[in-house]
Amino acid sequence: MAPIHYRIDPAQQHAHLYRVTLTVARPAAGQELSLPVWIPGSYLVREFSKNLQSLRASQGGAEVALEQLDKHRWRARCRPGKPLVLEYEVAAYDTSVRTAWLDATRGFFNGTSLCLRVHGQEDQPHDVEVVRPRAMAGWSLATGLPAHHTARSGFGTYRAHGYDELVDCPVEMGPFWSIRFTARGVPHRLVVAGAAPSFDGKRLVRDVRRICEEAIAFWHGEGRPPFASYVFLLNVVHDGYGGLEHRNSTALICGRRDLPRVGQSDKELQASEGYTQLLGLVSHEYFHTWNVKRLRPQEFAQYDYTRENYTELLWFFEGFTSYYDDLLLRRAGLIDHATYLRLLAKTTNQVLQTPGRHVQSVAQASFDAWVKYYRQDENTPNATVSYYTKGALVALCLDLALRREGRTTLDAVMRALWQHTGAGPMAEADLLAQLRTLSGRDWSAEIAQWVHGTGELPLAELLAAHGLRLQADTAQLAQRLGLRVQESAGLQIKAVLRGGAAEAAGFMAGDEWLAVETPGEAWRVHKLDDVPLYAGNTSQINAQVTALVARDRRLLRLPLALPAAGATGDTVRIDVSDASVAQQWLGYSQPV
């Protein structure tokens, strides 16, 4: 048995409780233990200890006193020489990829939610033994952890080299669908839980394999990736989306309608936004295996699980990954040019329609992720910018600018960073150094402007140099008004964008838009599309109407200048002007 051994018993499925027994073979006197407050890849203090209960300790059968030091740390009043045994329960109610879940149909957990950290012994081998109760006879287990003593079902004991590896390998349990495949000679496994009977697993694994092969080729050419095997853990729910990267696996969530179905044609799947989004998610999290799990911010050289870990580089690690996720789908032939440009235009519009891009730089957004990106409110679009979307556009501008000068590409810069840093920690200075080496000039002015400034990016100019046009497009009504709304239960105002018609009228987040009044008439509205229906002649500029809204049970009449239906606002599309030039960047000349 390893010096640190966790026995995890998921028998209390109906109570949604994991029973954990931690044995420390050689404890220190007054051994300290703690549960992480966050999980790497998701930059928010989540207080996982709130789910831990009934903690007790013993040594040689005798109870050991525990002193709680703060919200997530304990000290056991133990003596060295005898194993220390801790027993506790963890409530598992979260279906997300970040924590833990348990019921009679499925189990899932990250080590950051279940495994107390033994201070001073993090580099010792750690065993995790997951037992299968009788009620789970039809279940299997999948994880990226190295197997030590396991049954064919996957239940048994796994051994990690240390605590970091232990908590970087999530565990999936249940009667899931599973298939193994190879990509560039490396074993991969795709695990799907909760899919409908119509699910076409053969199609999904075919496309996932193409993504893996494209990503491995991107980083290594004909070489092999830095992992011996890889596991995709996909949880399928009625409505959901998300993923979290790990060193040799990823946990994903998608909606059932997003999966390919038996009998669907290639054309139907090409038209499926949900399936394209799922493939983009797979591509994104797989690319992270290199870009953030190994090539990582210098500040993440050693994770501190007790507090926030700040970096200004999420624009690179999340943003550049967001640039390449869809681009690699195009290069793999999984989407065509038109689909890729539509996705790129969507990202561009998300940035252009965020007034906060003039307030916060993307470097600041990276640093503030802990308090702003993961804690969004009604003012978020006015005060912040996403390091995912703007970071992706910074990568686009950098790639197109490098290609225009003709000496190198962003692909080559990424590979050089991988080789130069030894696939380890890096700083912004490392990026600038590789840009200078490969391109022959200094890029600090562009990085200062695009990353540390709040000005507009030169998208139109750079796209034009590669056979593409950035065209103004007709804006949707919400954008023309400067609103973000929710329509599931009436017309609810989620956010009012800075400088828009809605702000000028006096709208406020939290308002319910009840009706539109014109001279002599008033009409009830339930959706935003009802507004132009009842507002009269909306082709004229700034048609005047009165919006009736409810705020704190009070009815207010707000004078609203309704923008004309043809107004463009901050909305664009991307068209091809020279296909042969665009092809040199987009790649993959074969039809999908």
Side-chain angles (χ1 to χ4, degrees), residues 315 319-321 323-324 390-400 410:
W315 59 269
F320 281 39
T321 299
Y323 170 62
Y324 277 110
K390 187 174 180 182
L393 295 187
V394 170
L396 169 69
C397 288
L398 193 54
D399 196 11
L400 297 184
L410 186 58

Side-chain angles (χ1 to χ4, degrees), residues 138-330:
W139 286 30
S140 299
L141 182 147
T143 180
L145 282 167
H148 188 55
H149 293 296
T150 59
R152 291 185 62 185
S153 64
F155 285 88
T157 303
Y158 294 82
R159 177 160 294 174
H161 292 96
Y163 188 78
D164 281 345
E165 182 180 20
L166 173 74
V167 299
D168 204 15
C169 297
V171 174
E172 176 77 30
M173 296 176 285
F176 49 68
W177 180 91
S178 174
I179 191 169
R180 299 178 187 273
F181 65 94
T182 60
R184 298 288 177 128
V186 178
H188 288 63
R189 186 181 185 188
L190 174 60
V191 172
V192 181
S198 60
F199 164 53
D200 186 350
K202 291 182 179 179
R203 175 60 186 252
L204 181 61
V205 74
R206 187 196 80 176
D207 293 346
V208 169
R209 179 190 287 116
R210 289 167 72 175
I211 291 169
C212 296
E213 291 176 342
E214 193 68 34
I216 294 171
F218 174 90
W219 289 102
H220 305 289
E222 296 300 322
R224 294 175 69 85
F227 47 84
S229 62
Y230 193 91
V231 184
F232 293 95
L233 305 175
L234 175 59
N235 180 29
V236 185
V237 296
H238 173 67
D239 184 21
Y241 174 82
L244 189 61
E245 68 275 2
H246 298 279
R247 64 180 60 197
N248 67 341
S249 64
T250 181
L252 309 165
I253 290 180
C254 77
R256 290 191 180 90
R257 290 181 176 84
D258 297 338
L259 289 176
R261 296 188 293 277
V262 174
Q264 274 187 303
S265 66
D266 288 352
K267 185 177 181 180
E268 288 174 316
L269 282 171
Q270 275 285 304
S272 170
E273 291 186 10
Y275 187 55
T276 299
Q277 178 178 255
L278 172 58
L279 294 181
L281 176 65
V282 169
S283 179
H284 184 98
E285 302 305 337
Y286 194 68
F287 198 84
H288 268 321
T289 313
W290 293 266
N291 195 40
V292 87
K293 294 311 299 183
R294 290 170 175 82
L295 189 63
R296 62 171 67 178
Q298 203 167 55
E299 298 88 346
F300 292 177
Q302 180 63 54
Y303 293 124
D304 183 346
Y305 297 104
T306 69
R307 61 177 181 84
E308 299 89 341
N309 290 214
Y310 294 101
T311 179
E312 287 192 345
L313 285 174
L314 294 183
W315 59 269
F316 178 87
F317 290 99
E318 291 292 353
F320 281 39
T321 299
S322 296
Y323 170 62
Y324 277 110
D325 55 19
D326 289 335
L327 186 57
L328 291 188
L329 295 186
R330 176 66 205 117

Side-chain angles (χ1 to χ4, degrees), residues 448-489:
Q449 180 181 352
W450 300 346
V451 172
H452 298 279
T454 57
E456 300 290 11
L457 298 172
L459 293 169
E461 170 197 346
L462 291 170
L463 287 168
H466 291 80
L468 299 164
R469 284 189 299 265
L470 192 70
Q471 301 269 76
D473 202 6
T474 302
Q476 297 296 312
L477 179 58
Q479 183 58 29
R480 301 201 308 271
L481 289 171
L483 284 176
R484 293 184 181 176
V485 302
Q486 183 173 334
E487 299 176 326
S488 57

Side-chain angles (χ1 to χ4, degrees), residues 544-563:
Q544 295 294 315
V545 299
T546 299
L548 181 64
V549 305
R551 182 185 303 166
D552 191 28
R553 302 283 180 172
R554 178 180 294 177
L555 296 181
L556 303 175
R557 285 181 166 81
L558 307 179
L560 175 64
L562 201 62

Side-chain angles (χ1 to χ4, degrees), residues 10 12 31 42 93 135 184 242 393 441 461 465 489 561:
Q12 299 184 69
Q31 179 66 62
S42 184
Y93 287 93
R184 298 288 177 128
L393 295 187
R441 74 167 180 89
E461 170 197 346

